[in-house]
Amino acid sequence: RWIKAGVDGAPARPCILMPASLIHNYMKDVRDNFCGKNLNFFVLSSSTRQWSSMDQRKIKEIGLRAPANTFYVCSYEFLGLDSYQIVTGKAQNMVKVTKTETLEGGRTRKVPVKDSKGNDKKVSITVPVTDTVFPNAQLLLDLGINVIYLDESQKIKNRSSSIHKAVQALCEIPVK
């Protein structure tokens, strides 16, 4: 019923995120046990990349034309498949100035340079501030996904994994 009613006035576009290995059985179980043939699935998994050289724009066009009874199913692997860094700004950092000192036997070590008062000398440098972008998460947002279900959510608990970061980007959940 909520699929027809929508979410905040917009048509509901539900997406189920799950491991790729479960997608086939999940769709079969849902069709056989709950919805019959009245449900469409739009599947995005790593095999989606094998649709030829179809780019995300074309996949988005197809997804947006999907009928109202469509459930989007996306594998965690697809979501975190691609990522790249973009520069979002710059920041000033203070760094210690060091020099290389040669020791006996030809070994070297870095030692701090001191100012006239005997304190470590520091200089200000400008460094880029970057953020990670997940194009496949953006694709789901562009499709208008507004309801997300996580199946086998233990797959995203590793905060350093690209899958965790992609799900976080999709859901816009702040990191503690």
Side-chain angles (χ1 to χ4, degrees):
R1 184 177 344 167
W2 62 268
I3 293 177
K4 290 180 183 176
V7 177
D8 294 330
R13 288 211 177 250
C15 180
I16 304 160
L17 300 176
M18 67 178 63
S21 61
L22 301 180
I23 290 176
H24 178 74
N25 287 339
Y26 180 86
M27 292 187 315
K28 182 180 179 327
D29 288 347
V30 169
R31 280 201 175 121
D32 292 350
N33 297 308
F34 299 106
C35 300
K37 306 290 183 215
N38 296 327
L39 187 64
N40 291 316
F41 289 102
F42 190 90
V43 178
L44 295 163
S45 68
S46 53
S47 63
T48 302
R49 293 175 67 129
Q50 298 169 2
W51 286 1
S52 76
S53 59
M54 196 181 306
D55 63 8
Q56 287 198 345
R57 186 174 33 95
K58 186 68 174 170
I59 295 170
K60 179 182 167 186
E61 283 177 27
I62 294 168
L64 289 174
R65 287 193 311 241
N69 63 336
T70 299
F71 259 81
Y72 295 83
V73 179
C74 179
S75 72
Y76 289 124
E77 296 81 2
F78 176 79
L79 198 58
L81 199 57
D82 295 321
S83 68
Y84 55 91
Q85 297 288 317
I86 61 168
V87 176
T88 58
K90 51 186 171 182
Q92 292 296 120
N93 282 356
M94 295 299 289
V95 294
K96 289 182 183 180
V97 178
T98 60
K99 65 180 181 180
T100 304
E101 193 175 78
T102 303
L103 303 172
E104 288 183 31
R107 294 181 318 185
T108 61
R109 69 173 178 178
K110 293 191 183 255
V111 294
V113 173
K114 302 290 184 181
D115 63 16
S116 60
K117 295 179 182 177
N119 298 320
D120 290 348
K121 187 174 181 179
K122 294 182 180 180
V123 294
S124 176
I125 63 168
T126 302
V127 294
V129 175
T130 61
D131 199 3
T132 304
V133 175
F134 295 91
N136 293 340
Q138 186 61 50
L139 173 63
L140 288 182
L141 293 172
D142 291 346
L143 288 171
I145 299 301
N146 53 13
V147 179
I148 298 172
Y149 297 99
L150 301 176
D151 190 13
E152 300 287 324
S153 61
Q154 74 271 13
K155 300 284 185 186
I156 66 167
K157 288 184 179 176
N158 179 357
R159 288 178 180 236
S160 64
S161 74
S162 64
I163 294 171
H164 173 87
K165 291 174 183 172
V167 171
Q168 183 180 10
L170 176 64
C171 300
E172 298 179 3
I173 300 170
V175 176
K176 289 183 182 179

